[in-house]
Amino acid sequence: MDVFFESIQQQFDKNFPFVIYNKPNSDKIIAFLSLDDSLSFNEKLDKKGFVFAPFDGDDFIFFDEQNSEIIKKASFNFDESLTEFIDILPSNNVKTFHINLVEKGVEAIKLNQFSKVVLSRKESVPANQSDFISYFKKLIQTYKSAFCYCFYHPKVGMWLGATPEQLVKINENIISTVALAGTQLFIENQKVTWGDKEKEEQLFVTQFIEESLKPFVKNITKTKPFTAQAGNLLHIKTDVSAEIKSEVMLSDIVLALHPTPALCGLPKKEAKEFIIKNEGYNRKFYSGFLGEINKDFENNEDNKSDIFVNLRCMELEKEIANLFIGGGITKDSVPENEFIETINKSKTIKKILG
């Protein structure tokens, strides 16, 4: 083990918090090693550091650069072996619960309670927390175009993920974000076509972003929807950018966008209430957000933020990995198909547990 990962292992062995991450298509890994075991928060998002926030609530866990040792590793080339994960299909009870959940969601949409809701399930599979460094390396070598991370706090737990979805990127007064929705498996040399359900779902996300940003920005521009690959999955994506108005705070923008329709639904308040009442488990940090705020720590440049949505993630306990998988539900959703989609999505994380 090299010096960089030895430092991470020592931090874990001391029960001290840390976060390691690799930005999309970057050749650098960055780590925040907390100088003590305190649990800090930054609801205003007004300091320089790394934020790790839940789906619900404003307990935004924070690694302050002033209370962390920040180390970096450049020019890495991992060669972790990827053995096949021996997967077991979810039980009939799990399948029935999720299908019934989707049916409830579709019915609520038809009753005009909301136009879209994202419904998920939790799946627990065998894993070893002691192998977290190997899992992290596998994430990076498998999902180079994703934001890959490993977060640990003794008072919170350990989380790893490879998320393809940016919540917001800020460079001085320019904001960039993406509208991402719709999912299908990537198949080599097969022409990609999208159905009306996926196109409508992605349009909802784009419209939500535009409307949410309007009070805080000017000169909004966006691309036409296009197909983007994330691991073994394809999504419909639109890039959105704008100029931030003066006096607008980072927290104004983040709270306007979070949680996005891609992880919650529309309207946001009603969809979120339905999720919390009906999903049957606590999402915790799944579909929250995480990333650098107010500084680009890779290049040591101030006034930059790089924040991602926490999906394609897992909570890693001693001998179990809790996976979180969901999908966007509209009036045209077919419950059986939605359940199959969660199985396909679970392969993203299961692939690195082998």
Side-chain angles (χ1 to χ4, degrees):
M1 190 182 294
D2 66 20
V3 174
F4 179 88
F5 285 107
E6 278 182 7
S7 298
I8 306 300
Q9 185 66 55
Q10 289 167 8
Q11 189 81 351
F12 178 70
D13 292 342
K14 286 192 301 185
N15 256 348
F16 272 27
F18 65 82
V19 62
I20 0 168
Y21 59 96
N22 172 242
K23 295 183 184 181
N25 303 308
S26 169
D27 63 354
K28 289 190 180 75
I29 303 173
I30 302 165
F32 280 68
L33 309 181
S34 182
L35 300 179
D36 56 44
D37 66 351
S38 61
L39 183 59
S40 301
F41 301 97
N42 183 12
E43 291 84 357
K44 294 181 179 179
L45 303 179
D46 57 351
K47 298 176 183 176
K48 297 172 186 175
F50 190 98
V51 66
F52 192 72
F55 168 67
D56 186 36
D58 59 2
D59 292 335
F60 302 163
I61 296 174
F62 188 62
F63 287 82
D64 192 322
E65 72 165 346
Q66 301 298 326
N67 192 44
S68 305
E69 179 188 0
I70 300 171
I71 59 175
K72 301 176 186 179
K73 179 177 176 61
S75 303
F76 55 85
N77 185 23
F78 303 133
D79 190 24
E80 297 290 305
S81 60
L82 286 167
T83 55
E84 185 177 357
F85 179 80
I86 308 302
D87 201 4
I88 299 172
L89 286 176
S91 69
N92 283 332
N93 286 345
V94 170
K95 180 179 179 180
T96 300
F97 183 89
H98 194 75
I99 285 174
N100 289 342
L101 176 65
V102 173
E103 287 173 347
K104 275 189 203 174
V106 171
E107 184 63 27
I109 291 169
K110 290 177 177 176
L111 293 172
N112 295 316
Q113 293 179 22
F114 36 76
S115 55
K116 175 194 171 179
V117 65
V118 178
L119 298 175
S120 68
R121 63 182 179 88
K122 182 172 84 168
E123 181 178 344
S124 299
V125 297
N128 290 304
Q129 191 181 65
S130 59
D131 292 334
F132 73 93
I133 289 176
S134 175
Y135 293 154
F136 177 69
K137 290 178 179 179
K138 287 179 182 180
L139 283 175
I140 293 177
Q141 73 183 46
T142 308
Y143 304 114
K144 293 180 173 65
S145 62
F147 180 88
C148 300
Y149 77 91
C150 175
F151 162 95
Y152 173 71
H153 197 294
K155 298 170 185 173
V156 177
M158 179 176 282
W159 288 70
L160 292 91
T163 172
E165 184 167 352
Q166 186 112 42
L167 178 65
V168 65
K169 186 169 188 171
I170 294 175
N171 184 355
E172 300 291 344
N173 68 330
I174 302 298
I175 176 176
S176 305
T177 186
V178 298
L180 193 75
T183 302
Q184 61 177 276
L185 277 174
F186 169 72
I187 301 173
E188 194 83 42
N189 299 322
Q190 180 170 301
K191 184 181 177 183
V192 180
T193 56
W194 294 100
D196 291 340
K197 182 256 183 186
E198 288 83 7
K199 290 178 182 176
E200 180 185 52
E201 185 185 343
Q202 199 268 344
L203 179 62
F204 284 157
V205 178
T206 305
Q207 291 172 338
F208 165 82
I209 288 173
E210 288 185 89
E211 290 303 312
S212 299
L213 287 179
K214 271 182 182 176
F216 309 110
V217 304
K218 55 188 177 182
N219 303 326
I220 296 178
T221 60
K222 61 181 179 179
T223 64
K224 290 183 177 180
F226 61 95
T227 298
Q229 185 176 348
N232 65 329
L233 300 175
L234 300 174
H235 307 285
I236 312 175
K237 184 177 179 181
T238 296
D239 291 325
V240 181
S241 62
E243 189 178 337
I244 303 170
K245 294 177 182 177
S246 59
E247 306 305 317
V248 170
M249 304 290 289
L250 174 61
S251 57
D252 295 330
I253 293 170
V254 169
L255 294 177
L257 293 175
H258 170 72
T260 72
L263 274 299
C264 182
L266 275 175
K268 184 162 67 171
K269 179 176 178 290
E270 288 78 4
K272 190 174 180 181
E273 287 173 353
F274 183 89
I275 288 167
I276 292 170
K277 182 179 178 182
N278 291 283
E279 272 191 338
Y281 80 99
N282 182 356
R283 287 189 176 190
K284 297 183 181 178
F285 295 92
Y286 163 62
S287 63
F289 62 87
L290 72 163
E292 297 174 338
I293 60 171
N294 302 311
K295 184 173 180 177
D296 174 353
F297 288 90
E298 184 173 319
N299 300 301
N300 290 318
E301 296 174 352
D302 290 342
N303 301 316
K304 293 187 175 183
S305 296
D306 207 359
I307 305 173
F308 292 80
V309 177
N310 196 15
L311 72 164
R312 311 287 190 275
C313 64
M314 65 175 172
E315 179 186 30
L316 187 58
E317 301 182 49
K318 282 194 175 179
E319 297 179 342
I320 286 174
N322 297 314
L323 314 184
F324 305 87
I325 41 254
I329 309 303
T330 68
K331 66 181 189 303
D332 300 317
S333 292
V334 179
E336 179 87 20
N337 293 349
E338 295 298 335
F339 179 72
I340 292 169
E341 184 177 310
T342 66
I343 292 174
N344 290 335
K345 286 180 174 176
S346 73
K347 293 174 183 175
T348 299
I349 291 295
K350 286 176 180 175
K351 187 174 182 178
I352 63 107
L353 293 175

